[in-house]
Amino acid sequence: MAKTSARPRARRSSRLLIAAASLALMTPLTAACGSDSSAADDGKTLHLWHYEAKDSALANAWSAAIDTFKKSHPGVKVVFEQKTFDQIQQNAGMILNSDKAPDVMEYNKGNATTGLLAKQGLLTDLTAVAKQRGWSDKISQSASVTARYDSKGEMGGDKWYGIPNYGEFVLTYYNDDLFKKYNIAKPTDFKSFEAALAAFKKAGVTPLANAGNDHPAMHWLYLLALSQADDTWVDNYQRYQGKVDFHGPEWKYAVNKYKEWVSKGYFEKNDVGLKGNDMTEQFVSQKRPIMVGGNWWFGGLTSDIKDFKWSTAPYPGSEKTLGAGGNNWVVPSKAKNKKLAEDFIDITMSPEIQKIIGEEGNVPLAAKAEDISNTASRGLITAFNEYQNRNGLAFYPDWPVPGFYDTFLSATQNLMNGADTDSVLDQLSAPYDKYLASRH
């Protein structure tokens, strides 16, 4: 199986897998800083945590940022600790409420993560610093929604509790050689997209890569709903600004179209048990000519694909897509060297580090596409900016409700296994409606 080094962040494994990882990793996480942390309030030590894979675009950029920090802060020691997503996701509240908190760390965005810790008083309010250092001017209004929270811990508020320096979004990956081999035109709109799906299927090729036991299946469902949605619908769903009808035209269209595609064989039914890396393997091994997925797969695909030409483009069926500003740099309230943490964040927002993020195949928030020499990356950044400029980043389906990821995982698997569409919509609406009722 090909190895894709990038991986998704807000949409991970099931509750059981996370719980197991959390229990297995809790002790190392708690003990990692040791006595070093307790002596870190001398202004001479910066403790930094992140969970990006080694040699990924972000890890490489942030390693360069550490080198720059050391040069600009002679005599200051940087203690970097590589964590896993699950370590931080599951144990952050406990660690940040102790004297073992780092000075700065990468943390997942959203109401149930950054928002929750902000509400609990575990994160430093960075509003004044963001304005003073110009971060709030460099990050667009759209990309900053998941960096800003209100007193309830809900995104889009007026206080900055995190600083993202990259963006992420879902787009389409095409195997150009397979389109050429079967003489099928690359899609330019939804009609031609479905025509391509039908043509590949007629030629005996399952067209769409998918994974039902991970985030891709639920991303598809939400993307289909977004194709029928407007700004008001997104605000109502994601930010509780109005009533959400799970049996309304948006979700109804999504489940019906999804079920139609399964019945036509555009997805394989046995995709229901696959993980995200299985989906990328379908694309890398040329078993599926089309993959709709996040830009977080881009770097890994660039490394893994050696024997065919491929390209990316915005999904042609919707003006909106899943996406947001990237994960946040946060400064714990109990951090001992907040000024050093702010200095490090400032370096990650510098033109030099932003350029590295772009050249390495990710989406910098404070760099222009024309400043990036990597042609493929430049196209990626241009597409992301197009979505930003038209308010087309609609976040992710599981964000509104704590624990909603598992609900979506089960619902989309049920849909792929032939469940009635109304029962699937009922399954989604129950926890959403219950959570909204609890907010009043």
Side-chain angles (χ1 to χ4, degrees), residues 46-50 102-106 329-332 335 341 344-345:
L46 174 71
H47 281 262
L48 185 155
W49 295 357
H50 75 64
D103 297 307
V104 61
M105 75 175 193
E106 179 186 13
W329 286 120
V330 299
V331 178
F344 176 78
I345 294 172

Side-chain angles (χ1 to χ4, degrees), residues 146-164:
T146 52
R148 298 179 284 108
Y149 295 84
D150 61 19
S151 60
K152 296 180 180 178
E154 293 173 1
M155 61 186 182
D158 58 354
K159 291 187 177 182
W160 291 68
Y161 285 97
I163 306 296

Side-chain angles (χ1 to χ4, degrees), residues 190 194 224 251-264 266-267 315 415 421:
F190 187 66
E194 284 204 303
L224 289 169
W251 283 116
K252 195 75 173 177
Y253 171 85
V255 292
N256 286 334
K257 179 59 67 175
Y258 197 104
K259 191 166 187 175
E260 175 192 332
W261 283 0
V262 172
S263 67
K264 288 183 175 180
Y266 297 164
F267 301 131
Y315 169 64
L415 187 61
T421 54

Side-chain angles (χ1 to χ4, degrees), residues 158-180:
D158 58 354
K159 291 187 177 182
W160 291 68
Y161 285 97
I163 306 296
N165 56 25
Y166 69 97
E168 59 178 45
F169 70 118
V170 168
L171 70 162
T172 312
Y173 296 83
Y174 294 116
N175 182 321
D176 295 340
D177 285 359
L178 286 180
F179 273 87
K180 184 177 181 179

